[in-house]
C-alpha cells in the first residue's frame, strides 16, 4: 500500500511540474490562444462558403454546417492540447544527450513517467489555451451547446484519443534507441493523422471506400472519434468506439514491449 501511495505521489509530482511549466510560459499560451481563434474564424468562413446556397438544414454527408464548423473549430483547439510532435522530440533529445539515465533512477516506471508528464502538459495547456479559446470562440464566433446525453461517450472517446496519441508520440520518440533520426517518422505520423485521422475534416465526408478503410485504422481514434462524438456525427457508433478501445490497448501493449526492449538495449550498451 505504501508503494502504491509513493508511486501516486511521484506521478502527481511529475504531472504537476508540467502544469507549472505550462503556466510559466504564459506568453506562448496567449499566442497559441490567439492563433486558435484566428483559425476558428477561418474555419467558420471556409465552411460557410462550402455550404453557401443551402438552407440551414443542408447536409454534407450526414453533417450540417453547424456540425461541420464545430468539428473543425474543436479540432483546432484539440491539436494544441493533446500529445504531439513535442513529446516525441523531447524524448528523442533526452535519449541522445543521456538525460534519460536520471529519469531511470526515479522510483516509478519510465513509460508511466512520460504518460504523467504528457497528462500534466495537456491539463496545463487545456486550462490556459483550450478552455479560454472554447469560451471566447463559442461566445463570439460560433455559439454551440453540448448534449448532456453525450457527455459520458465524449469523456470515453477523449480518454481513448489521449492514450492513442500518447502512444504514437511515445513510440516515435522511443525509436531514437534504434534509428539515427525520428523526424521522418514524425512526418509520416502527421501525414497519416491528416489523411486518415480526420484532423482536416470529418471522416464521414470522405468517399465511402476511403472512409470504410480509415475507420479500421488507429488514426481515426486520435481525432475523428472524439470530435465526431462532440458534434453527434451518426457515423461514430458503438462499433467504432469499441475499435478505438481495442487500438488503445494494442498500442499501449506495444509501448510496454518497446520500452523493455529499449531499456534492455541501454543496459547492454552501458555494460
Amino acid at each position: 500500500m505504501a508503494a502504491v501511495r509513493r508511486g501516486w505521489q511521484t506521478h502527481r509530482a511529475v504531472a504537476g511540474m508540467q502544469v507549472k511549466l505550462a503556466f510559466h510560459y504564459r506568453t506562448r499560451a496567449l499566442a497559441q490562444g490567439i492563433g486558435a481563434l484566428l483559425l476558428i474564424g477561418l474555419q467558420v468562413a471556409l465552411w460557410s462558403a462550402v455550404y453557401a446556397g443551402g438552407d440551414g438544414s443542408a447536409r454534407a454527408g450526414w453533417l450540417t454546417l453547424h456540425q461541420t464548423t464545430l468539428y473543425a473549430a474543436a479540432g483546432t483547439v484539440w491539436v494544441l492540447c493533446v500529445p504531439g510532435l513535442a513529446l516525441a522530440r523531447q524524448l528523442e533529445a533526452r535519449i541522445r544527450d543521456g538525460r534519460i539515465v536520471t529519469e531511470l533512477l526515479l522510483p516509478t516506471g519510465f513509460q508511466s513517467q512520460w504518460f504523467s508528464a504528457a497528462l500534466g502538459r495537456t491539463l496545463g495547456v487545456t486550462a490556459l489555451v483550450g478552455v479560454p479559446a472554447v469560451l471566447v470562440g463559442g461566445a463570439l464566433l460560433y455559439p454551440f451547446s453540448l448534449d448532456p446525453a453525450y457527455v459520458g461517450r465524449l469523456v470515453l472517446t477523449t480518454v481513448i484519443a489521449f492514450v492513442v496519441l500518447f502512444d504514437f508520440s511515445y513510440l516515435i520518440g522511443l525509436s531514437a534507441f534504434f534509428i539515427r533520426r525520428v523526424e521522418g517518422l514524425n512526418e509520416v505520423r502527421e501525414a497519416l493523422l491528416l489523411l486518415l485521422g480526420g484532423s482536416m475534416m470529418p471522416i464521414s465526408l470522405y468517399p465511402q471506400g476511403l472512409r470504410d478503410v480509415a475507420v479500421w485504422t488507429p488514426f481515426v481514434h486520435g481525432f475523428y472519434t472524439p470530435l465526431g462524438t462532440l458534434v453527434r456525427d451518426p457515423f461514430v457508433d458503438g462499433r467504432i468506439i469499441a475499435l478505438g478501445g481495442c487500438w488503445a490497448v494494442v498500442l499501449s501493449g506495444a509501448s510496454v514491449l518497446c520500452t523493455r526492449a529499449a531499456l534492455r538495449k541501454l543496459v547492454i550498451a552501458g555494460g
Side-chain angles (χ1 to χ4, degrees), residues 10 15 21 63 66 80 110 123-124 126 129 142 165 182 185 202 221 235 269:
T10 303
L21 283 175
L63 302 178
H66 188 279
L80 294 176
F110 179 74
L123 293 175
T126 300
V129 182
Y142 211 74
L165 292 175
V182 303
L185 292 176
H221 306 294
F235 196 69

Side-chain angles (χ1 to χ4, degrees), residues 143-239:
F144 68 94
S145 59
L146 178 62
D147 189 342
Y150 275 68
V151 171
R153 177 177 289 200
L154 181 60
V155 171
L156 174 62
T157 53
T158 299
V159 171
I160 291 173
F162 180 87
V163 173
V164 168
L165 292 175
F166 167 78
D167 285 331
F168 276 141
S169 298
Y170 178 79
L171 284 169
I172 290 174
L174 202 65
S175 64
F177 275 109
F178 307 100
I179 61 177
R180 186 177 297 274
R181 293 290 179 187
V182 303
E183 289 91 343
L185 292 176
N186 267 333
E187 292 176 1
V188 171
R189 169 190 180 275
E190 289 301 292
L192 290 174
L193 286 174
L194 187 66
L195 176 64
L196 301 175
S199 61
M200 185 170 59
M201 67 173 63
I203 295 295
S204 55
L205 299 184
Y206 283 17
Q208 183 177 356
L210 179 59
R211 183 191 65 207
D212 291 343
V213 171
V215 297
W216 288 96
T217 70
F219 306 104
V220 295
H221 306 294
F223 285 89
Y224 174 63
T225 306
L227 297 177
T229 302
L230 175 66
V231 301
R232 301 179 60 181
D233 186 338
F235 196 69
V236 182
D237 55 16
R239 177 182 65 100

Side-chain angles (χ1 to χ4, degrees), residues 11-255:
H11 287 297
R12 190 176 61 182
V14 171
M17 178 59 68
Q18 292 299 317
V19 174
K20 291 179 181 177
L21 283 175
F23 277 83
H24 180 74
Y25 296 105
R26 294 186 295 273
T27 303
R28 182 176 64 183
L30 176 63
Q32 288 178 327
I34 294 174
L37 289 175
L38 292 175
L39 287 174
I40 291 172
L42 179 63
Q43 295 282 3
V44 172
L46 172 65
W47 286 108
S48 297
V50 170
Y51 279 80
D55 55 24
S57 61
R59 295 176 180 272
W62 289 280
L63 302 178
T64 63
L65 170 62
H66 188 279
Q67 288 174 298
T68 305
T69 304
L70 178 58
Y71 180 101
T76 300
V77 178
W78 182 247
V79 169
L80 294 176
C81 299
V82 294
L85 300 182
L87 188 150
R89 290 176 184 144
Q90 290 172 1
L91 181 52
E92 178 197 21
R94 288 173 183 270
I95 291 172
R96 292 196 180 283
D97 63 22
R99 282 179 291 166
I100 185 178
V101 175
T102 60
E103 296 182 3
L104 295 176
L105 298 177
L106 292 176
T108 185
F110 179 74
Q111 182 180 349
S112 58
Q113 291 174 42
W114 279 85
F115 186 86
S116 297
L119 182 60
R121 178 194 174 276
T122 293
L123 293 175
V125 175
T126 300
L128 274 173
V129 182
V131 173
V134 169
L135 294 177
V136 175
L140 301 179
L141 295 174
Y142 211 74
F144 68 94
S145 59
L146 178 62
D147 189 342
Y150 275 68
V151 171
R153 177 177 289 200
L154 181 60
V155 171
L156 174 62
T157 53
T158 299
V159 171
I160 291 173
F162 180 87
V163 173
V164 168
L165 292 175
F166 167 78
D167 285 331
F168 276 141
S169 298
Y170 178 79
L171 284 169
I172 290 174
L174 202 65
S175 64
F177 275 109
F178 307 100
I179 61 177
R180 186 177 297 274
R181 293 290 179 187
V182 303
E183 289 91 343
L185 292 176
N186 267 333
E187 292 176 1
V188 171
R189 169 190 180 275
E190 289 301 292
L192 290 174
L193 286 174
L194 187 66
L195 176 64
L196 301 175
S199 61
M200 185 170 59
M201 67 173 63
I203 295 295
S204 55
L205 299 184
Y206 283 17
Q208 183 177 356
L210 179 59
R211 183 191 65 207
D212 291 343
V213 171
V215 297
W216 288 96
T217 70
F219 306 104
V220 295
H221 306 294
F223 285 89
Y224 174 63
T225 306
L227 297 177
T229 302
L230 175 66
V231 301
R232 301 179 60 181
D233 186 338
F235 196 69
V236 182
D237 55 16
R239 177 182 65 100
I240 292 182
I241 295 174
L243 279 173
C246 292
W247 273 117
V249 172
V250 169
L251 290 172
S252 296
S255 296

